Amino acid sequence: MDLARAAGISPQQVRNHLDAGVLPPAERSPAGYRVFGERHREALLTYRLLGRGYGWAVARTIMRAVHAGDSLTALAAVDEAHAAAHAQREALKATAEALEAVAGRPPDTVPRAGLHVGDLAAKLGVRPSALRVWEAAGLLAPARTTDGYRVYGPADVRDARLVAMLRQARYPLPRIKPIMDEFRAAGGTEALRAAITDREAHLAARALVMLEAAGALHRYLSA
């Protein structure tokens, strides 16, 4: 299939996109074969750009709406994606400022006996189960009482704050561990700054792809 070869995908994927409404309807030849033209190629290229920039679920929503004649829904999906990207950027900025503040300040004042799971969870505004997951991932290492209960000291509370903020910035647990390891080893914020810089670069690169995808969608809608 020429369209599949031009896009670098399989003929079955082209059929799936057609059935899903990602591509406009295709007429059939007298022999019963689907006939794809330039409009289908443009739709497929637009969809792939949208997928890279907005995510595949959003891209499908946009293209289905366009081919259903509902451009308002398509444009609303674009607006929502840009609003979400802006919110991520603002959250990252706030997180960077908070991380610097937390990492550079003295450890939290906590009772001499330390904090238990429920107390620390309430202090951070997270579920107790989140602290247990973070511990299992090697991000936290609280002491244990003779009865087996977790006890969090000042340094543990500081570490938990940092993990919570990185999670708010949408960092996955495997990427947080080397940051925390470096922070504990160096006693500084260089690893944390690098993490924020990396995330900023990722958002900037995605914004450029979204811009390119929006231009492709505009051309497709105007054709």
Side-chain angles (χ1 to χ4, degrees), residues 26-171:
E27 298 180 355
R28 291 187 178 270
S29 69
Y33 294 104
R34 292 185 176 94
V35 178
F36 297 97
E38 180 62 19
R39 185 66 171 167
H40 296 90
R41 189 188 73 84
E42 292 174 355
L44 186 53
L45 294 178
T46 301
Y47 170 67
R48 297 185 71 184
L49 276 173
L50 289 169
R52 287 175 52 209
Y54 297 94
W56 298 109
V58 176
R60 283 191 293 273
T61 296
I62 293 172
M63 297 304 290
R64 286 171 178 166
V66 169
H67 295 138
D70 186 4
S71 60
L72 291 180
T73 294
L75 295 175
V78 171
D79 289 344
E80 185 176 354
H82 281 280
H86 177 70
Q88 289 178 26
R89 194 182 299 276
E90 289 298 301
L92 184 62
K93 179 181 177 181
T95 300
E97 294 171 353
L99 280 171
E100 290 289 344
V102 171
R105 76 182 189 183
D108 287 70
T109 300
V110 300
R112 180 175 297 180
L115 296 175
H116 292 294
V117 169
D119 299 325
L120 180 55
K123 192 179 186 71
L124 299 180
V126 301
R127 295 178 182 274
S129 59
L131 296 175
R132 299 187 184 97
V133 170
W134 298 348
E135 181 182 348
L139 308 181
L140 301 177
R144 296 271 185 162
T145 67
T146 55
D147 296 329
Y149 291 103
R150 296 172 176 83
V151 178
Y152 298 86
D156 299 314
V157 175
R158 177 207 61 193
D159 291 351
R161 283 191 183 280
L162 294 175
V163 173
M165 290 176 181
L166 287 167
R167 290 295 289 156
Q168 289 173 2
R170 304 195 179 195
Y171 272 81

Side-chain angles (χ1 to χ4, degrees), residues 137-140 174-187 191:
L139 308 181
L140 301 177
R175 292 188 62 191
I176 295 177
K177 189 175 188 310
I179 295 171
M180 296 305 299
D181 290 344
E182 178 65 24
F183 176 73
R184 294 190 187 101

Side-chain angles (χ1 to χ4, degrees), residues 13-25:
Q13 286 177 296
V14 172
R15 298 186 191 97
N16 292 343
H17 291 333
L18 184 66
D19 294 339
V22 169
L23 302 181

